[in-house]
Every structure is written in C-alpha cells, then in structure tokens.
Amino acid sequence: MAWLVTTKRYQLILMENTTQLGAFSSRHSPAKGFLYFSYFIFILFSGISGLIYFKGILAVKEGRMNFSGDINMLYWVIAFIMVLGLIILFSVYKMTQGKTHHLYENGIITEDDGQSKTLFFRDMEDIYLFSSGKSFTTNNLAFRNRSGGDWEILTVRYSKVFKAINYITDRHAHLYVDKILAELGNNKSVTFNYINYGTSLRKRIFATGTNSFLKVEPKDIVVYKDRLIIDSKTIMISNLERFSVNNWINQINLYNKQNEVVFSTATNGIFSGKSFITLMDKLINQTRS
C-alpha cells in the first residue's frame, strides 16, 4: 500500500511539472548488467556447493565414495564458496543502487526512494564534469543549484551516461545562457565556479571515488557584461580576442588582442564549462559588433 501511495504521489508531481519541463528525453539509473551477472555467479556457486555436498560429502557418508582426507574440509570449501558468492552479490547490489534521473527538455526530475526533486536548466548553476577509472573521456557529471548545496550525480555506472552528459550540457548551454544574458543586460553579474588546472589534474590522478572528486573548493569567475573578475584580476571583454579548447591536454585558454593568455584552466575545471564558453563567444562577438 505504501508503494502505491508513493507511486501516485510521484505521478502527481510529474503531471504538475510536465508542462514546464517540456518533452521527455530519457531516463537514467545505475545499470543492472553487473547485478544480473552477480545473480548468475551466486547461482553457479550454489550449484557447485550442492555438487560438493551431494556428490562428495553425502556420497562419502553413505559409503559410495572413498575420501582419505578430513571431510570437514569439504564443509569449509562450501562455506568459503557461498560466503564469496554472497560478498559478490552484496557488493554489486550496493554498486547498482542510486538515484534515477528523468531528463526533460527544460530540466531534470531526480527520484530517490519515492521522493523526487525538480531542477530546471535555467536554475542549474554548476555542472561539474570529470573522468574516473583512468579514462581520458569525461564519464561523470554532477549538477546542482548552489542554494541547494548538494550535488546530484550521474556516474559511469549509469545507463547511457554519455548521452545524458551531452544532453544536459547542450540544454544548459542553450537555456542558462539566455537567462544570464538577460541578467547581464540589466547590469547584474553572474558567477561561474572553477578549479585551477593543477587541482583538476590531481583529482584526475589521485581521486579514489566520486566523493573524492566532489571535495573541491572552487574559486569564482564573476562575469559582467563588459568584464570578468578572476582572482581579483579584471579582464575587459573588449580586450578579449578569442578562446581555445584543447582536449588533448585538457585545457581552455582565453586570449587578449595581443594573443596573450589571460586565463587558463582545465577544460572540465570550469563548472558549466560549455555554458561559459557559449557565453564568452556571445559576449566577445557582441563587443566586436
């Protein structure tokens, strides 16, 4: 009954948000392939244990087989195999637990134990991309509204994670940049967070898990319609000529009109980096015009 109430509550929330969220795109949750494989391993180990008991221990006890060793060793073998199977099953089960993310045209609904939370792309301030498992490809994404504090995460364990990463960053760049351009036009400022190149590199090499990646103290890039303030240094947008993104060395650079690098960090070091690049492109081109 509790499950039915929770399901109905979730359906009501979906109905309330569907109009604002727009068209549904995809659903992403931890992949279950390894869990099914662990079921197979556990069944296999159970079968092996059964064979040892019925074809070994029982046969010895009934005199159908001779065994010169200590029969208690066979019980220990069965115990070891079953405990190993249970450890594998439990470990994989824990790995496959996690929140489910429903991606829509204008935002994301995150579902966790019957509770759901909606975050629109226009209100999503930070998207943190990182690579784990010594991969050279970005295979993890975390997003948040800073006022909410906590990160929502899609890791490499999630189904179709690369599709989700591309969709979220594309939609955010489209919707968030339009919002902040309007704010800049009203003489407001917008703050992007970033971590420097060294911090990003150390995380990539030494981070031991998702929580380790997320333990960072980002610095601010404050954007006005005519200037950037980074580490107390003011960079006039009218003096910016271009930017470059080098995925081979995982680096993004901003250049002034003298072709000097005035700011540099890791490609994934800027939170909401794709939106930042989109914004810089628009502001630099707008200044030229």
Side-chain angles (χ1 to χ4, degrees), residues 237 239-243 255-259 284 288:
I237 292 176
N239 196 37
L240 291 177
E241 178 64 24
R242 62 187 177 90
F243 56 84
Y255 294 86
N256 62 18
K257 292 189 181 299
Q258 290 73 46
N259 205 36
I284 291 171
R288 288 172 178 167

Side-chain angles (χ1 to χ4, degrees), residues 116-128:
S116 66
K117 180 172 70 176
T118 300
L119 183 58
F120 290 92
F121 291 124
R122 289 170 60 87
D123 302 324
M124 193 181 294
E125 293 169 303
D126 292 331
I127 297 178
Y128 178 20

Side-chain angles (χ1 to χ4, degrees), residues 2-55:
W3 174 84
L4 182 60
V5 172
T6 300
T7 301
K8 287 184 176 180
R9 185 187 300 121
Y10 177 63
Q11 289 174 340
L12 286 173
I13 293 172
L14 280 179
M15 291 175 63
E16 291 172 0
N17 288 321
T18 296
T19 302
Q20 292 179 299
L21 285 167
F24 174 75
S25 174
S26 57
R27 174 182 178 274
H28 302 269
S29 58
K32 302 298 183 182
F34 281 115
L35 182 61
Y36 299 142
F37 181 70
S38 71
Y39 289 155
F40 170 76
I41 292 294
F42 183 74
I43 292 170
L44 178 63
F45 282 8
S46 298
I48 293 172
S49 298
L51 284 173
I52 293 173
Y53 179 75
F54 289 107
K55 298 295 185 180

